[in-house]
Amino acid sequence: MAHVLNTNIASSSLFARLRGVAENARTSWALYKEYKRTYDELDALTDRDLVDIGIRRCDIADLARTHVYGA
């Protein structure tokens, strides 16, 4: 009786998991960059501009987070 080990399944699973980790890292980085861009744009506005659009300076981080990551 012959016993055959299929190492392809284990290695492909490992590579699939590594690809998944890399993809998650890329997605997280892209979301962070969008958050940072949104935050920086709102933070660059003057207090007068923020009042005109109805945003308090202390709410900028929450607004940027909600914009990028959802509620």
Side-chain angles (χ1 to χ4, degrees):
M1 181 182 257
H3 184 71
V4 177
L5 292 176
N6 190 348
T7 57
N8 259 355
I9 292 173
S11 64
S12 108
S13 176
L14 174 63
F15 288 123
R17 283 186 279 166
L18 289 174
R19 259 186 263 121
V21 168
E23 183 59 34
N24 286 342
R26 279 192 295 273
T27 301
S28 294
W29 183 250
L31 288 173
Y32 170 74
K33 285 184 358 184
E34 178 65 18
Y35 166 81
K36 186 73 172 129
R37 185 184 68 80
T38 302
Y39 182 93
D40 289 344
E41 285 183 9
L42 288 173
D43 193 46
L45 295 174
T46 65
D47 290 335
R48 172 70 183 198
D49 292 335
L50 290 173
V51 168
D52 285 346
I53 59 175
I55 296 175
R56 296 179 305 174
R57 189 162 296 280
C58 64
D59 293 332
I60 291 175
D62 290 335
L63 288 168
R65 190 177 307 107
T66 301
H67 169 71
V68 174
Y69 299 107

